[in-house]
Amino acid sequence: QVQLVESGGGLVQAGGSLRLSCALSGRTFNRFAMGWFRQAPGKEREFVAHIIWSTGASYYADSVKGRFTISRDNGKDTAYLQMNSLKLEDTAVYYCAAARGPVYTTHIDSYGYWGQGTQVTVSS
C-alpha cells in the first residue's frame, strides 16, 4: 500500500516563492518516478514536473520551466517542488503522484498513486 502525503501549500503574493513537499511511504518499487500535477478551477489537471528517483533526472512543463525546480531526498523518500517567481496563473490545487517504471511519461494515466492535493493561491 503506497501513500503520498503533501504539505506546503498556502497563500503567496505574485513574485514570491513557495516549497511543496510530498512524502512517500508503503510499498517500494525498484524503479519509479514522482511527479507534480495541478488543477485550476474549471480546468483539466495538467502536468507540472517529474523526477526519476534513481537518477534524479527531471522534466518540466513549458509553463513552469526556469521558475520551478523538482528535487528529492532519498533518505526521507520525499519529493519537493520549489516554486519561484509565482504568477497568478499558478493558482491551483497541486497534487503529487508516483508512477512505476521503467517507462515514464507526463500523462496522468501513467501515475497510479496520488496524494490528497494542497491548495496554492497566488495573489496580486
Side-chain angles (χ1 to χ4, degrees), residues 17 31 33 42 46 65 68 73 77 80 83 89 97 101 122 124:
S17 298
R31 303 178 184 88
E46 65 176 359
K65 197 172 299 181
F68 291 10
D73 185 326
D77 287 340
Y80 304 94
M83 304 184 292
E89 310 91 84
V122 183
S124 60

Side-chain angles (χ1 to χ4, degrees), residues 26-98:
R27 182 179 178 181
T28 59
F29 307 102
N30 291 335
R31 303 178 184 88
F32 69 97
M34 290 186 65
W36 290 94
F37 294 77
R38 66 186 182 185
Q39 187 167 23
K43 303 295 184 181
E44 295 183 355
R45 191 171 299 184
E46 65 176 359
F47 170 81
V48 175
H50 72 201
I51 186 166
I52 300 173
W53 208 256
S54 61
T55 67
S58 58
Y59 187 79
Y60 299 89
D62 288 340
S63 59
V64 306
K65 197 172 299 181
R67 299 188 298 119
F68 291 10
T69 302
I70 189 170
S71 61
R72 91 282 201 218
D73 185 326
N74 291 337
K76 297 180 180 179
D77 287 340
T78 299
Y80 304 94
L81 185 68
Q82 178 66 46
M83 304 184 292
N84 298 327
S85 301
L86 283 162
K87 304 175 180 179
L88 295 177
E89 310 91 84
D90 295 319
T91 294
V93 176
Y94 283 71
Y95 299 88
C96 63

